[in-house]
Amino acid sequence: MPPKAPRRPVRLWRSPGRGAALMLCAWLAGTSPAASADTIVSARFTEPTARYAHGVLGDAIEYGALELSVEHTPSDQTSPAAGTILRSVVTIRLPDDRVFEDLSPRVADVDQDGLPEVIVVETHQQTGAQLAIYDAIGHKIAATPHIGTRFRWLAPVGAADLDGDGHVEIAYVDRPHLAKTLRIWRFRNGALTEIATLPGLTNHRIGEDFISGGLRNCDSGPELILASADWSRIISVSYDKRWTLNDLGPVIGPQHLTMALKC
């Protein structure tokens, strides 16, 4: 198994480093797991592999498996196990023509049932990256189409009810080094539907082992924080009857987008 290259810390909603375990966190602000049924409490990528040598995140190492730590509270209160919490590990192992081309899995309640799912970037050897959602038993419950070409990637931004319609939207930048297009997808009735396409935005530079910007929620509601296509300006994207882009000022340094996440 090839060695895992060192990683710089990923931004605030993320785990301590690429491939490390991600505990249930505020990638989807305001979400908390239910106290019963199968609950994902942490997730991490495992089985590092060099079988997909894209290197967009700084080296040739990606991951062949996703490991979920799951807690289960028996619903039958007459059971001998009533009142106890059972723990298990669920492993999603990809076929050889796919990898998780990602920093860390993201735990979020996408379907708003009180139980979290996991959001990842999954890449096919020939058709490139897609955004995929897995549940607590390891089923891929929804995914965007693959970009369509080998060595083409997407960089997640955030997940929240971005437009106030009562459903969760997930945003990512499609090909942040080439197309530089923000795409926003709504999760509804078990499927993802693209609802917005906004060009001229990015959140990653080739070789960086982190994704810049992300999601913030200040007094005015959820905002996506990104960079302009030429990395000169910090751009906020929000919804108020239509999708609005606001210029928050110049990009001065590599951590400036992270600082912009603070209200």
Side-chain angles (χ1 to χ4, degrees):
M1 181 178 295
K4 178 177 179 289
R7 296 283 189 264
R8 288 178 13 175
V10 193
R11 49 200 174 77
L12 292 180
W13 56 262
R14 25 309 156 202
S15 71
R18 186 178 176 195
L22 179 66
M23 302 305 292
L24 185 63
C25 67
W27 202 74
L28 179 58
T31 300
S32 61
S36 62
D38 292 329
T39 302
I40 300 170
V41 295
S42 67
R44 65 171 185 160
F45 293 126
T46 61
E47 301 183 13
T49 176
R51 67 187 183 226
Y52 184 71
H54 188 190
V56 71
L57 290 166
D59 59 34
I61 306 301
E62 304 307 337
Y63 296 91
L66 170 64
E67 184 180 280
L68 311 178
S69 294
V70 178
E71 289 186 350
H72 177 76
T73 303
S75 57
D76 182 3
Q77 295 305 308
T78 65
S79 166
T84 65
I85 296 177
L86 307 178
R87 293 176 174 83
S88 64
V89 174
V90 175
T91 300
I92 299 105
R93 184 168 289 107
L94 295 177
D96 289 345
D97 61 357
R98 294 174 183 256
V99 296
F100 292 110
E101 189 178 17
D102 205 350
L103 295 165
S104 298
R106 299 153 193 85
V107 181
D109 184 5
V110 176
D111 58 8
Q112 297 183 301
D113 67 349
L115 298 170
E117 290 75 41
V118 174
I119 302 170
V120 296
V121 180
E122 185 175 325
T123 297
H124 188 277
Q125 287 274 7
Q126 301 304 320
T127 56
Q130 68 173 179
L131 191 85
I133 304 171
Y134 285 90
D135 64 15
I137 59 175
H139 289 165
K140 186 193 288 189
I141 60 173
T144 64
H146 290 274
I147 289 173
T149 303
R150 179 178 174 84
F151 296 153
R152 296 295 182 265
W153 185 65
L154 62 87
V157 183
D161 182 0
L162 297 174
D163 59 2
D165 69 338
H167 300 284
V168 170
E169 284 80 40
I170 305 174
Y172 65 77
V173 177
D174 176 4
R175 291 160 290 173
H177 326 113
L178 296 171
K180 301 181 181 181
T181 298
L182 176 67
R183 298 190 184 275
I184 301 174
W185 296 73
R186 177 180 294 132
F187 185 86
R188 184 177 182 181
N189 297 329
L192 287 166
T193 302
E194 187 172 8
I195 62 167
T197 303
L198 304 173
L201 298 166
T202 189
N203 60 347
H204 185 264
R205 287 177 275 208
I206 293 176
E208 290 181 340
D209 59 356
F210 60 95
I211 297 172
S212 297
L215 173 70
R216 75 178 187 182
N217 197 333
C218 301
D219 293 339
S220 58
E223 299 173 84
L224 303 172
I225 303 299
L226 302 111
S228 59
D230 62 0
W231 282 95
S232 66
R233 312 296 295 181
I234 300 172
I235 305 297
S236 163
V237 178
S238 59
Y239 187 85
D240 184 9
K241 298 182 181 178
R242 62 184 179 87
W243 296 102
T244 301
L245 279 65
N246 293 307
D247 190 324
L248 302 184
V251 177
I252 298 173
Q255 299 302 319
H256 206 195
L257 267 70
T258 298
M259 295 171 60
L261 295 176
K262 300 177 182 179
C263 296

